[in-house]
């Protein structure tokens, strides 16, 4: 595909200019990118770096996305990058502020949509096959979001998965009611074989 290749070529030119003109030393800046998606972390002069970046991009025939190209004060404002939300977070028990990362709201919506598509009523595959596909999806999501603060997101996701599995099996077995008695959480995440994201390894990322 041409687009990813061109993105990498143009981004390489920007990285070379970033280093050549010493933005790292002048502004205490660190450039982090994935293809054409990038952030510049600055200790000072973030507005100037944004202006310089816009000028450089224009010189090679590109324009910055106006909705994404902005300055954020990470100690007070959050920003999304590569599926994570970075910025100020609070310990739920104490209310203490810290800088960290967590899965973004958009990422949570996407994984829920994927779970819902696997457990749609028209999926007539054997439960073993459905469960395998579901588990592969959950493991992939959890392996990617293995840094930062994840406990709340994992709890929310497990709850959502349980509700969708319960409704899926209740329809398949033609049971009345909500299916809570026939398919309690312990059974879904136990003998039925669905993995719990809350029980997967956790890594902690702290921003200074």
């Amino acid at each position: 595909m041409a687009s990813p290749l061109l993105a990498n070529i143009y981004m390489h030119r920007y990285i070379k200019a970033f280093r050549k003109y010493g933005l790292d030393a002048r502004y205490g800046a660190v450039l982090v990118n994935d293809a054409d998606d990038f952030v510049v972390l600055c200790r000072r002069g973030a507005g100037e770096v944004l202006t310089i970046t816009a000028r450089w991009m224009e010189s090679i025939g590109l324009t910055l996305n106006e909705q994404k190209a902005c300055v954020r004060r990470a100690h007070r404002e959050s920003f999304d990058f590569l599926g994570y939300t970075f910025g100020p977070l609070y310990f739920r028990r104490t209310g203490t502020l810290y800088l960290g990362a967590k899965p973004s709201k958009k990422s949570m919506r996407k994984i829920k949509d994927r779970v819902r598509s696997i457990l749609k009523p028209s999926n007539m595959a054997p439960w073993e096959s459905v469960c395998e596909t579901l588990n592969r999806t959950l493991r992939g999501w959890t392996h990617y979001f293995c840094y930062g603060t994840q406990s709340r997101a994992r709890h929310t996701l497990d709850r959502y998965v349980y509700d969708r599995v319960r409704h899926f099996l209740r329809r398949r077995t033609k049971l009345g009611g909500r299916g809570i008695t026939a398919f309690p959480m312990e059974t879904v995440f136990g003998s039925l074989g669905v993995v719990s994201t809350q029980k997967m390894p956790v890594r902690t990322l702290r921003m200074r």
Side-chain angles (χ1 to χ4, degrees), residues 13-167:
R13 293 180 63 181
Y14 174 66
I15 293 172
K16 287 182 64 177
F18 187 93
R19 294 171 178 169
K20 178 180 179 180
Y21 293 100
L23 266 63
D24 49 354
R26 288 164 57 191
Y27 299 100
V30 177
L31 172 63
V32 182
N33 80 287
D34 179 69
D36 61 343
D37 200 0
F38 67 96
V39 296
V40 181
L41 308 176
C42 304
R43 292 187 177 276
R44 55 191 174 274
E48 294 179 36
V49 173
L50 177 58
T51 300
I52 294 171
T53 297
R55 187 172 67 247
W56 285 353
M57 291 297 179
E58 185 177 355
S59 70
I60 58 177
L62 300 177
T63 57
L64 295 177
N65 186 319
E66 294 183 359
Q67 295 180 338
K68 293 183 177 180
C70 58
V71 175
R72 289 283 186 270
R73 299 182 181 278
H75 285 80
R76 291 180 287 179
E77 301 173 283
S78 62
F79 64 93
D80 290 351
F81 182 57
L82 301 181
Y84 281 90
T85 293
F86 297 90
L89 300 174
Y90 295 88
F91 287 108
R92 297 181 67 184
R93 292 183 179 180
T94 63
T96 304
L97 175 70
Y98 68 96
L99 292 180
K102 65 179 181 179
S104 68
K105 291 181 179 180
K106 183 178 180 180
S107 297
M108 294 300 295
R109 288 196 300 270
K110 289 178 68 174
I111 185 60
K112 289 180 179 180
D113 288 345
R114 176 57 181 151
V115 169
R116 186 167 59 250
S117 70
I118 295 171
L119 299 172
K120 59 186 178 183
S122 60
N123 187 348
M124 302 306 294
W127 169 247
E128 291 75 13
S129 177
V130 175
C131 185
E132 181 180 354
T133 301
L134 178 62
N135 286 344
R136 186 164 58 248
T137 298
L138 296 174
R139 289 192 181 100
W141 186 90
T142 307
H143 289 165
Y144 181 80
F145 292 102
C146 61
Y147 293 97
T149 300
Q150 310 133 28
S151 57
R152 190 170 185 178
R154 291 188 180 198
H155 173 79
T156 298
L157 182 55
D158 273 7
R159 185 72 221 187
Y160 183 81
V161 168
Y162 168 64
D163 288 341
R164 299 307 303 182
V165 168
R166 178 166 49 83
H167 288 304

